[in-house]
Protein backbone atom coordinates (compact mmCIF):
# COMPACT_ATOMS: atom_id res chain seq x y z
CA UNK A 1 0.00 0.00 0.00
CA UNK A 2 1.16 3.49 -0.76
CA UNK A 3 0.94 5.15 2.64
CA UNK A 4 1.49 8.55 1.08
CA UNK A 5 -2.18 8.63 0.22
CA UNK A 6 -2.88 8.74 3.94
CA UNK A 7 0.20 10.57 5.23
CA UNK A 8 -1.41 13.97 5.09
CA UNK A 9 -0.18 16.82 7.20
CA UNK A 10 -1.27 17.10 10.78
CA UNK A 11 -3.17 20.27 10.07
CA UNK A 12 -5.26 18.55 7.43
CA UNK A 13 -5.54 15.13 9.05
CA UNK A 14 -6.60 16.50 12.40
CA UNK A 15 -8.40 19.60 11.26
CA UNK A 16 -11.44 19.95 13.51
CA UNK A 17 -14.82 20.28 11.83
CA UNK A 18 -16.59 23.53 12.61
CA UNK A 19 -18.24 23.46 16.03
CA UNK A 20 -21.86 22.51 15.45
CA UNK A 21 -24.78 24.17 17.12
CA UNK A 22 -26.56 21.81 19.50
CA UNK A 23 -29.80 21.65 17.56
CA UNK A 24 -32.50 19.05 18.40
CA UNK A 25 -31.57 17.11 15.24
CA UNK A 26 -27.89 17.13 16.24
CA UNK A 27 -28.69 15.93 19.74
CA UNK A 28 -30.72 13.05 18.32
CA UNK A 29 -27.55 11.82 16.62
CA UNK A 30 -26.28 10.48 19.95
CA UNK A 31 -27.24 7.41 21.98
CA UNK A 32 -29.79 7.69 24.76
CA UNK A 33 -27.44 6.40 27.45
CA UNK A 34 -23.82 5.57 28.28
CA UNK A 35 -21.32 4.69 25.57
CA UNK A 36 -18.85 1.83 25.94
CA UNK A 37 -15.56 1.82 24.03
CA UNK A 38 -14.60 -1.86 23.91
CA UNK A 39 -10.85 -2.56 23.91
CA UNK A 40 -9.64 -6.03 22.99
CA UNK A 41 -6.62 -5.99 25.30
CA UNK A 42 -5.91 -5.62 29.04
CA UNK A 43 -5.17 -2.21 30.58
CA UNK A 44 -1.67 -0.88 29.95
CA UNK A 45 -1.38 -1.56 26.22
CA UNK A 46 -1.43 0.90 23.33
CA UNK A 47 -5.07 0.30 22.40
CA UNK A 48 -6.19 0.86 25.97
CA UNK A 49 -4.02 3.97 26.33
CA UNK A 50 -5.49 5.72 23.29
CA UNK A 51 -9.05 4.76 24.24
CA UNK A 52 -8.52 6.35 27.66
CA UNK A 53 -7.10 9.50 26.08
CA UNK A 54 -10.24 9.93 23.95
CA UNK A 55 -12.95 8.74 26.35
CA UNK A 56 -13.05 11.80 28.66
CA UNK A 57 -13.00 14.19 25.69
CA UNK A 58 -15.97 12.46 24.08
CA UNK A 59 -17.75 12.28 27.41
CA UNK A 60 -17.46 16.04 27.74
CA UNK A 61 -18.70 16.64 24.18
CA UNK A 62 -21.60 14.19 24.36
CA UNK A 63 -22.65 14.83 27.97
CA UNK A 64 -22.85 11.05 28.33
CA UNK A 65 -20.79 8.61 30.35
CA UNK A 66 -18.10 7.12 28.08
CA UNK A 67 -16.63 3.96 29.59
CA UNK A 68 -13.59 1.98 28.45
CA UNK A 69 -14.47 -1.73 28.63
CA UNK A 70 -11.53 -4.17 28.37
CA UNK A 71 -12.48 -7.50 26.78
CA UNK A 72 -9.13 -9.15 26.20
CA UNK A 73 -8.57 -12.29 24.17
CA UNK A 74 -7.42 -13.64 20.82
CA UNK A 75 -5.41 -10.48 20.04
CA UNK A 76 -8.51 -8.30 19.88
CA UNK A 77 -10.72 -10.75 17.98
CA UNK A 78 -13.01 -11.50 20.94
CA UNK A 79 -13.77 -7.81 21.38
CA UNK A 80 -14.54 -7.43 17.68
CA UNK A 81 -16.82 -10.48 17.80
CA UNK A 82 -18.65 -8.94 20.76
CA UNK A 83 -19.16 -5.53 19.16
CA UNK A 84 -20.25 -7.04 15.85
CA UNK A 85 -23.23 -8.60 17.68
CA UNK A 86 -24.37 -5.39 19.37
CA UNK A 87 -27.22 -3.17 18.14
CA UNK A 88 -26.21 -0.26 15.94
CA UNK A 89 -27.52 2.36 18.36
CA UNK A 90 -24.14 3.94 19.14
CA UNK A 91 -24.02 2.67 22.72
CA UNK A 92 -21.16 0.26 21.94
CA UNK A 93 -18.06 1.24 20.00
CA UNK A 94 -14.88 -0.70 19.26
CA UNK A 95 -11.32 0.51 19.32
CA UNK A 96 -10.71 -1.30 16.04
CA UNK A 97 -7.17 -2.49 15.63
CA UNK A 98 -4.82 -3.84 13.01
CA UNK A 99 -5.20 -7.27 14.64
CA UNK A 100 -8.98 -7.54 14.52
CA UNK A 101 -9.54 -5.78 11.20
CA UNK A 102 -6.52 -6.70 9.04
CA UNK A 103 -4.28 -9.45 10.41
CA UNK A 104 -6.91 -11.84 11.78
CA UNK A 105 -8.97 -11.75 8.55
CA UNK A 106 -5.79 -12.46 6.56
CA UNK A 107 -4.92 -15.45 8.74
CA UNK A 108 -8.41 -16.81 9.32
CA UNK A 109 -11.03 -16.28 6.60
CA UNK A 110 -13.56 -18.17 8.79
CA UNK A 111 -13.86 -15.48 11.47
CA UNK A 112 -17.32 -15.15 12.99
CA UNK A 113 -17.50 -11.53 11.78
CA UNK A 114 -16.90 -9.80 8.46
CA UNK A 115 -14.63 -6.77 9.00
CA UNK A 116 -16.03 -5.14 5.86
CA UNK A 117 -19.77 -5.47 6.46
CA UNK A 118 -20.33 -5.98 10.21
CA UNK A 119 -19.02 -2.59 11.35
CA UNK A 120 -19.65 1.12 10.88
CA UNK A 121 -16.22 2.81 10.52
CA UNK A 122 -15.99 6.17 12.27
CA UNK A 123 -12.44 7.58 12.31
CA UNK A 124 -8.83 6.44 12.13
CA UNK A 125 -7.24 7.39 15.45
CA UNK A 126 -3.59 6.88 14.55
CA UNK A 127 -0.84 4.77 13.00
CA UNK A 128 2.28 3.94 15.00
CA UNK A 129 5.49 2.06 14.33
CA UNK A 130 6.27 -0.96 16.42
CA UNK A 131 9.43 -0.57 18.46
CA UNK A 132 11.91 -3.43 18.62
CA UNK A 133 12.73 -3.36 22.32
CA UNK A 134 14.79 -5.52 24.66
CA UNK A 135 15.30 -5.81 28.38
CA UNK A 136 18.31 -4.04 29.78
CA UNK A 137 20.32 -7.21 30.40
CA UNK A 138 20.64 -8.00 26.69
CA UNK A 139 24.03 -7.69 25.02
CA UNK A 140 22.59 -7.53 21.48
CA UNK A 141 21.55 -3.88 21.24
CA UNK A 142 21.58 -3.27 17.49
CA UNK A 143 19.66 -5.06 14.76
CA UNK A 144 22.79 -6.67 13.22
CA UNK A 145 23.83 -7.91 16.66
CA UNK A 146 20.36 -9.35 17.26
CA UNK A 147 20.30 -11.10 13.88
CA UNK A 148 23.72 -12.57 14.65
CA UNK A 149 22.50 -13.79 18.06
CA UNK A 150 19.44 -15.44 16.49
CA UNK A 151 21.66 -17.21 13.94
CA UNK A 152 24.12 -18.32 16.60
CA UNK A 153 21.35 -19.62 18.90
CA UNK A 154 18.47 -20.83 16.69
CA UNK A 155 15.20 -20.99 18.61
CA UNK A 156 16.72 -19.75 21.85
CA UNK A 157 16.28 -15.97 21.51
CA UNK A 158 12.79 -15.15 22.80
CA UNK A 159 10.32 -12.56 21.48
CA UNK A 160 7.08 -11.79 23.28
CA UNK A 161 3.87 -10.53 21.69
CA UNK A 162 0.42 -9.51 22.86
CA UNK A 163 -0.93 -12.77 21.45
CA UNK A 164 -0.91 -15.11 18.47
CA UNK A 165 -1.71 -13.28 15.22
CA UNK A 166 -1.13 -9.90 16.86
CA UNK A 167 0.69 -7.01 15.18
CA UNK A 168 3.77 -7.79 17.29
CA UNK A 169 3.62 -11.44 16.22
CA UNK A 170 3.35 -10.54 12.53
CA UNK A 171 6.25 -8.09 12.87
CA UNK A 172 8.32 -10.92 14.37
CA UNK A 173 7.33 -13.31 11.59
CA UNK A 174 8.26 -10.72 8.98
CA UNK A 175 11.61 -10.20 10.75
CA UNK A 176 12.28 -13.96 10.81
CA UNK A 177 11.33 -14.28 7.14
CA UNK A 178 13.45 -11.35 5.99
CA UNK A 179 16.47 -12.00 8.23
CA UNK A 180 16.30 -15.78 7.63
CA UNK A 181 16.49 -16.60 11.33
CA UNK A 182 14.58 -18.76 13.79
CA UNK A 183 13.51 -17.22 17.10
CA UNK A 184 11.05 -18.37 19.77
CA UNK A 185 7.66 -16.63 19.88
CA UNK A 186 6.06 -16.34 23.34
CA UNK A 187 2.47 -15.02 23.18
CA UNK A 188 0.81 -13.12 26.04
CA UNK A 189 -2.71 -11.88 26.67
CA UNK A 190 -1.91 -8.27 25.88
CA UNK A 191 0.96 -5.80 25.96
CA UNK A 192 0.67 -5.08 29.69
CA UNK A 193 1.68 -8.55 30.92
CA UNK A 194 4.18 -8.91 28.08
CA UNK A 195 6.06 -5.77 29.07
CA UNK A 196 6.02 -6.80 32.74
CA UNK A 197 7.77 -10.04 31.84
CA UNK A 198 10.13 -8.34 29.40
CA UNK A 199 11.26 -5.91 32.08
CA UNK A 200 11.61 -8.83 34.50
CA UNK A 201 13.78 -10.81 32.09
CA UNK A 202 11.35 -13.68 31.41
CA UNK A 203 11.38 -12.73 27.72
CA UNK A 204 14.20 -10.97 25.87
CA UNK A 205 12.74 -8.90 23.02
CA UNK A 206 9.50 -7.73 21.46
CA UNK A 207 8.27 -5.78 18.45
CA UNK A 208 6.02 -3.84 20.81
CA UNK A 209 3.61 -1.06 19.90
CA UNK A 210 5.24 2.33 20.30
CA UNK A 211 2.30 3.52 22.40
CA UNK A 212 2.76 0.76 24.98
CA UNK A 213 6.57 0.73 24.89
CA UNK A 214 7.25 4.46 25.16
CA UNK A 215 6.79 4.98 28.94
CA UNK A 216 9.18 2.11 29.64
CA UNK A 217 11.76 3.28 27.11
CA UNK A 218 11.65 6.79 28.56
CA UNK A 219 12.05 5.45 32.10
CA UNK A 220 15.04 3.33 31.07
CA UNK A 221 13.39 0.02 31.93
CA UNK A 222 13.74 -1.29 28.35
CA UNK A 223 16.01 -0.42 25.44
CA UNK A 224 14.81 0.69 22.00
CA UNK A 225 16.71 -0.97 19.17
CA UNK A 226 14.79 -0.09 16.00
CA UNK A 227 11.41 1.11 14.73
CA UNK A 228 9.34 -0.49 12.02
CA UNK A 229 7.86 2.19 9.73
CA UNK A 230 9.84 3.22 6.63
CA UNK A 231 10.61 6.63 8.15
CA UNK A 232 11.61 7.50 11.69
CA UNK A 233 8.84 8.67 13.98
CA UNK A 234 9.14 12.23 15.26
CA UNK A 235 8.87 10.74 18.74
CA UNK A 236 12.08 8.72 18.19
CA UNK A 237 14.36 10.68 15.90
CA UNK A 238 17.50 8.90 17.19
CA UNK A 239 16.25 5.31 16.83
CA UNK A 240 16.96 3.80 13.39
CA UNK A 241 14.33 2.07 11.34
CA UNK A 242 14.65 -1.66 10.70
CA UNK A 243 15.18 -0.76 7.04
CA UNK A 244 18.05 1.58 7.90
CA UNK A 245 19.58 -1.05 10.19
CA UNK A 246 19.81 -3.73 7.55
CA UNK A 247 16.44 -5.07 6.28
CA UNK A 248 15.36 -2.80 3.39
CA UNK A 249 11.66 -2.06 2.84
CA UNK A 250 10.67 -3.48 6.23
CA UNK A 251 7.30 -2.01 7.21
CA UNK A 252 5.23 -3.31 10.15
CA UNK A 253 2.89 -0.88 11.86
CA UNK A 254 0.11 -0.84 14.40
CA UNK A 255 -3.01 1.26 13.92
CA UNK A 256 -6.14 2.10 15.84
CA UNK A 257 -9.54 3.53 14.97
CA UNK A 258 -13.06 3.83 16.32
CA UNK A 259 -15.92 1.88 14.77
CA UNK A 260 -19.41 0.80 15.78
CA UNK A 261 -21.56 -2.16 14.82
CA UNK A 262 -23.28 -2.22 11.45
CA UNK A 263 -26.60 -0.44 11.13
CA UNK A 264 -25.69 2.81 12.85
CA UNK A 265 -27.77 5.71 11.46
CA UNK A 266 -25.86 7.88 8.99
CA UNK A 267 -26.52 11.00 11.06
CA UNK A 268 -25.00 9.31 14.12
CA UNK A 269 -21.96 8.09 12.19
CA UNK A 270 -21.39 11.62 10.90
CA UNK A 271 -21.82 13.26 14.31
CA UNK A 272 -19.59 10.77 16.13
CA UNK A 273 -16.89 10.89 13.46
CA UNK A 274 -16.76 14.67 13.50
CA UNK A 275 -16.61 14.77 17.30
CA UNK A 276 -13.80 12.20 17.37
CA UNK A 277 -11.90 14.37 14.90
CA UNK A 278 -12.49 17.39 17.13
CA UNK A 279 -11.10 15.43 20.07
CA UNK A 280 -8.05 14.35 18.07
CA UNK A 281 -7.39 18.00 17.19
CA UNK A 282 -7.27 19.18 20.82
CA UNK A 283 -3.74 20.33 21.74
CA UNK A 284 -3.37 18.04 24.75
CA UNK A 285 -4.58 15.04 22.75
CA UNK A 286 -2.19 15.87 19.91
CA UNK A 287 0.61 16.04 22.46
CA UNK A 288 -0.27 12.60 23.85
CA UNK A 289 -0.49 11.14 20.34
CA UNK A 290 2.87 12.63 19.38
CA UNK A 291 4.53 11.31 22.54
CA UNK A 292 3.43 7.82 21.56
CA UNK A 293 4.29 8.06 17.87
CA UNK A 294 0.65 7.98 16.70
CA UNK A 295 0.43 9.82 13.39
CA UNK A 296 -1.84 10.21 10.34
CA UNK A 297 -5.12 10.03 12.30
CA UNK A 298 -8.39 11.78 11.57
CA UNK A 299 -10.55 11.91 8.49
CA UNK A 300 -14.03 10.84 7.52
CA UNK A 301 -15.50 7.33 7.88
CA UNK A 302 -14.88 6.71 4.19
CA UNK A 303 -11.17 7.33 4.64
CA UNK A 304 -10.99 4.87 7.54
CA UNK A 305 -12.92 2.23 5.56
CA UNK A 306 -10.57 2.63 2.58
CA UNK A 307 -7.54 2.45 4.88
CA UNK A 308 -8.73 -0.82 6.42
CA UNK A 309 -9.42 -2.39 3.02
CA UNK A 310 -5.87 -1.55 1.93
CA UNK A 311 -4.43 -3.01 5.15
CA UNK A 312 -6.36 -6.26 4.72
CA UNK A 313 -5.01 -6.55 1.20
CA UNK A 314 -1.47 -5.86 2.40
CA UNK A 315 -1.53 -8.49 5.15
CA UNK A 316 -3.22 -11.10 2.97
CA UNK A 317 -0.31 -10.73 0.55
CA UNK A 318 2.26 -10.88 3.39
CA UNK A 319 0.74 -14.00 4.95
CA UNK A 320 0.76 -15.76 1.58
CA UNK A 321 4.30 -14.69 0.65
CA UNK A 322 5.83 -15.56 4.03
CA UNK A 323 3.80 -18.72 4.55
CA UNK A 324 2.68 -17.51 7.99
CA UNK A 325 0.30 -19.84 9.83
CA UNK A 326 -2.08 -18.85 12.60
CA UNK A 327 -0.33 -21.19 15.03
CA UNK A 328 3.23 -20.18 14.09
Amino acid sequence: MDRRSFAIGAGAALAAPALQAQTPQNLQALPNGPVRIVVGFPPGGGTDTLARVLAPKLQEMWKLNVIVDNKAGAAGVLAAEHVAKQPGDGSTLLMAHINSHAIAPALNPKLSYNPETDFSPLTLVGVTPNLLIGNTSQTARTLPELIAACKAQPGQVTFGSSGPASAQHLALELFKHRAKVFALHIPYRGSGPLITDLIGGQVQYSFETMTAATPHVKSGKVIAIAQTRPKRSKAYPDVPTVAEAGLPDFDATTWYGLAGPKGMPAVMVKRMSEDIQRALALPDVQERLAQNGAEDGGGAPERFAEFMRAERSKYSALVKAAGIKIDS
Side-chain angles (χ1 to χ4, degrees):
M1 180 187 68
D2 185 353
R3 291 194 177 276
R4 290 175 297 178
S5 61
F6 298 108
I8 55 181
L14 297 177
L19 184 62
Q20 296 176 328
Q22 299 300 305
T23 63
Q25 181 182 8
N26 203 28
L27 290 172
Q28 290 173 6
L30 292 173
N32 294 322
V35 175
R36 289 187 304 138
I37 299 178
V38 179
V39 171
F41 302 90
T47 320
D48 179 75
T49 297
L50 294 183
R52 294 182 188 277
V53 168
L54 288 174
K57 305 300 183 183
L58 297 175
Q59 179 167 294
E60 183 178 352
M61 291 179 185
W62 295 342
K63 309 303 180 187
L64 297 169
N65 287 332
V66 178
I67 305 158
V68 176
D69 183 5
N70 298 88
K71 290 188 177 298
V77 168
L78 293 185
E81 289 178 340
H82 171 77
V83 173
K85 297 174 183 176
Q86 303 308 304
D89 59 5
S91 63
T92 305
L93 304 179
L94 174 71
M95 185 61 90
H97 189 275
I98 185 175
N99 295 351
S100 60
H101 277 64
I103 293 174
L107 286 167
N108 183 9
K110 296 182 180 180
L111 287 174
S112 66
Y113 61 88
N114 185 319
E116 179 81 19
T117 60
D118 287 344
F119 298 89
S120 299
L122 297 174
T123 299
L124 178 66
V125 171
V127 183
T128 73
N130 293 311
L131 271 183
L132 173 55
I133 57 175
N135 64 54
T136 55
S137 66
Q138 299 310 306
T139 57
R141 295 190 170 213
T142 68
L143 189 71
E145 289 173 351
L146 181 54
I147 291 172
C150 290
K151 289 183 176 180
Q153 307 170 66
Q156 296 183 45
V157 179
T158 57
F159 286 76
S161 79
S162 65
S166 64
Q168 298 99 315
H169 182 193
L170 266 286
L172 169 61
E173 293 300 330
L174 180 60
F175 166 72
K176 289 162 55 179
H177 176 67
R178 295 289 306 281
K180 296 180 173 57
V181 298
F182 174 51
L184 182 61
H185 172 226
I186 300 179
Y188 286 78
R189 288 177 58 86
S191 293
L194 157 62
I195 292 177
T196 297
D197 271 11
L198 187 135
I199 292 171
Q202 285 76 35
V203 65
Q204 294 168 283
Y205 298 96
S206 177
F207 283 91
E208 183 52 76
T209 65
M210 186 172 282
T211 307
T214 290
H216 308 287
V217 174
K218 299 301 183 184
S219 68
K221 294 179 180 178
V222 301
I223 54 173
I225 297 170
Q227 51 185 304
T228 64
R229 288 191 87 180
K231 293 184 179 180
R232 297 188 188 191
S233 166
K234 295 177 182 177
Y236 284 87
D238 298 327
V239 175
T241 67
V242 173
E244 290 172 331
L247 296 179
D249 301 321
F250 192 100
D251 184 7
T253 63
T254 297
W255 52 260
Y256 317 84
L258 281 167
K262 67 181 178 182
M264 289 178 62
V267 65
M268 183 178 289
V269 169
K270 183 175 185 294
R271 167 72 189 271
M272 285 188 158
S273 176
E274 290 181 350
D275 285 347
I276 294 164
Q277 292 175 69
R278 289 172 56 207
L280 290 171
L282 294 171
D284 59 329
V285 173
Q286 288 195 44
E287 182 178 357
R288 289 291 302 279
L289 294 172
Q291 288 172 351
N292 292 289
E295 301 172 348
D296 300 341
E302 295 78 12
R303 177 189 181 234
F304 187 27
E306 181 185 352
F307 177 89
M308 288 192 287
R309 281 192 292 270
E311 285 287 285
R312 284 192 289 274
S313 176
K314 167 187 169 181
Y315 278 95
S316 293
L318 170 61
V319 166
K320 183 177 180 180
I324 298 170
K325 305 295 184 183
I326 196 167
D327 58 351
S328 61

